Amino acid sequence: DVKVTQSSRYLVKRTGEKVFLECVQDMDHENMFWYRQDPGLGLRLIYFSYDVKMKEKGDIPEGYSVSREKKERFSLILESASTNQTSMYLCASSSRDRAGYEQYFGPGTRLTVT
Amino acid sequence: GIQVEQSPPDLILQEGANSTLRCNFSDSVNNLQWFHQNPWGQLINLFYIPSGTKQNGRLSATTVATERYSLLYISSSQTTDSGVYFCAVRGYSTLTFGKGTMLLVSP
């Protein structure tokens, strides 16, 4: 079974703090993704990566950066957290081998910025 | 980009009832997935179904790619089926999600 894990289920940070969200997958997937989910707005793609040290902007990259130093790990960084970044953050991975790139999700991190 | 519309937005059922959820999309797709988001926020993969019909227990799904829609059928619903059901499609790059159908199954 594919397993995607995220470092925290719940996180509370203060405005201006630097925040790291970690995601690890154990299926040797090439592709990894970060989404945020907000009521009424659905899931929106922040960043994705097709390979180590490679990153691509999604639909809403402003205020975020990412790091992929190892194939299994994809980190989302909030350089200076703001209250409008309070959200549910979901990580996903997929294999490039499988046509259509079926995505598998982690359990999510509920981030509150006060 | 591709537009994805799901209907109905909300659905309330009695336990044991059947239901059909619909997903319309605006362009050709290479991938279509159905997910169930449980009350704890976890997205569970239900089906990977860019075309054709699949069944898994009480759930089945059909995608008619030429007419740009997919249907998710839930039979003999149970309270554990409650949650939000998402359809997501991929054209040439990344997945685009619909807004979801929120399902509540009451005992």
Side-chain angles (χ1 to χ4, degrees), chain B:
Chain B
I2 295 178
Q3 306 298 313
V4 182
E5 303 252 347
Q6 290 187 244
S7 60
D10 303 282
L11 189 57
I12 299 175
L13 298 174
Q14 285 257 284
E15 205 167 21
N18 302 328
S19 61
T20 301
L21 281 57
R22 187 176 179 103
C23 173
N24 292 334
F25 44 95
S26 61
D27 207 341
S28 305
V29 297
N30 294 305
N31 174 8
L32 188 144
Q33 292 183 247
W34 282 99
F35 297 92
H36 174 215
Q37 188 167 40
N38 65 24
W40 296 272
Q42 172 85 57
L43 276 169
I44 312 284
N45 289 43
L46 296 178
F47 293 102
Y48 166 76
I49 186 166
S51 63
T53 297
K54 290 186 177 180
Q55 178 146 13
N56 184 3
R58 296 181 295 103
L59 273 60
S60 64
T62 295
T63 297
V64 183
T66 52
E67 296 188 22
R68 299 180 184 166
Y69 73 89
S70 182
L71 302 174
L72 178 69
Y73 305 96
I74 305 174
S75 64
S76 304
S77 57
Q78 301 175 358
T79 55
T80 52
D81 294 332
S82 296
V84 184
Y85 289 80
F86 287 102
C87 166
V89 302
R90 184 178 80 86
Y92 290 104
S93 58
T94 55
L95 277 185
T96 299
F97 283 77
K99 294 288 175 67
T101 292
M102 181 172 291
L103 173 65
L104 177 62
V105 181
S106 58

